[in-house]
Amino acid sequence: NAGVTQTPKFQVLKTGQSMTLQCAQDMNHNSMYWYRQDPGMGLRLIYYSASEGTTDKGEVPNGYNVSRLNKREFSLRLESAAPSQTSVYFCASTTPRGLPSYEQYFGPGTRLTVT
Amino acid sequence: AQSVTQPDIHITVSEGASLELRCNYSYGATPYLFWYVQSPGQGLQLLLKYFSGDTLVQGIKGFEAEFKRSQSSFNLRKPSVHWSDAAEYFCAVGARTGANNLFFGTGTRLTVIP
């Protein structure tokens, strides 16, 4: 049981390049999330997927797209990277509301630098 | 709108001393409340959570937190800090309705002096 996994761990992009961050969970969770973490700003929600087949914008969605490929996988795409997207990206998942375990489980993060 | 305030950006304590990290939230009803810890270069790990019932909740690694509805606070405490507790701590609130989204505070970095 690996929990939440993310690839890659590190990435350096040039401005204008594109890339996809991958996330997978093996806990049979319904909901998945993408956050970015910047110094002094905590974690901010980019997009989330409440269940397979649905995605919704979070607090800071501009410049990103997501795909909920199946119940396990939720990817985040940067179509044209900008220096402002330099950040650490975390994927998380959670069990459905109403069950005892409501907390989100986090992956190890992807450190992205855009030059 | 929901918001979470962690007023202390950085706290330094001596090993063996007690610790209290502050968290205040703004929300229209009683939210779900969480404390997470992040060690350098790592993801976030859940320390404890409050859903309902006893307002003093126990977590892992000897941490506890108390929910005070009148003060909209959920402060984290530990009676005796260990060097391994040095990390960043995040308070988060979650809505009891709608999507399972969490709103995070900006974090408090804890330094432990030997």
Side-chain angles (χ1 to χ4, degrees):
Chain A
N1 191 340
V4 180
T5 57
Q6 293 183 234
T7 56
K9 286 186 166 48
F10 301 94
Q11 184 71 50
V12 179
L13 292 178
K14 295 187 187 306
T15 297
Q17 288 184 319
S18 63
M19 79 161 296
T20 300
L21 280 64
Q22 306 287 353
C23 173
Q25 53 88 12
D26 61 3
M27 296 174 282
N28 200 35
H29 287 172
N30 284 339
S31 301
M32 297 184 73
Y33 309 81
W34 277 105
Y35 294 90
R36 60 177 290 171
Q37 183 180 30
D38 301 293
M41 302 193 75
L43 278 79
R44 293 181 292 168
L45 183 65
I46 305 171
Y47 271 92
Y48 65 97
S49 172
S51 60
E52 187 178 356
T54 69
T55 60
D56 286 286
K57 295 178 181 179
E59 182 184 356
V60 289
N62 291 346
Y64 305 95
N65 285 301
V66 291
S67 296
R68 183 72 183 269
L69 305 170
N70 47 56
K71 190 170 186 178
R72 291 187 63 248
E73 299 172 287
F74 188 39
S75 63
L76 178 72
R77 183 161 178 81
L78 287 69
E79 291 290 352
S80 179
S84 61
Q85 293 178 306
T86 293
S87 187
V88 182
Y89 292 85
F90 288 100
C91 178
S93 69
T94 190
T95 51
R97 188 176 62 255
L99 295 182
S101 177
Y102 178 77
E103 68 264 25
Q104 293 186 11
Y105 295 80
F106 285 80
T110 295
R111 187 173 296 273
L112 174 66
T113 301
V114 183
T115 61
Chain B
Q2 300 93 329
S3 68
V4 180
T5 301
Q6 293 181 248
D8 303 306
I9 296 173
H10 186 201
I11 285 181
T12 300
V13 300
S14 298
E15 191 168 15
S18 63
L19 172 70
E20 183 169 25
L21 302 183
R22 295 182 290 166
C23 173
N24 292 95
Y25 66 88
S26 174
Y27 188 66
T30 301
Y32 295 125
L33 295 160
F34 306 85
W35 274 100
Y36 283 84
V37 61
Q38 183 182 31
S39 298
Q42 304 296 314
L44 277 71
Q45 179 185 22
L46 181 72
L47 279 178
L48 47 77
K49 61 193 176 190
Y50 172 77
F51 290 170
S52 64
D54 193 346
T55 57
L56 184 63
V57 294
Q58 303 296 322
I60 62 172
K61 305 185 182 187
F63 285 91
E64 67 178 25
E66 185 171 13
F67 169 56
K68 293 186 177 180
R69 185 191 307 273
S70 62
Q71 299 176 17
S72 297
S73 69
F74 189 56
N75 293 348
L76 181 71
R77 300 193 294 249
K78 187 170 184 179
S80 178
V81 169
H82 188 262
W83 64 266
S84 61
D85 294 324
E88 187 144 22
Y89 292 80
F90 293 93
C91 180
V93 301
R96 291 180 180 260
T97 59
N100 300 347
N101 296 347
L102 293 184
F103 295 87
F104 285 83
T106 52
T108 297
R109 181 171 301 280
L110 174 65
T111 297
V112 181
I113 297 174

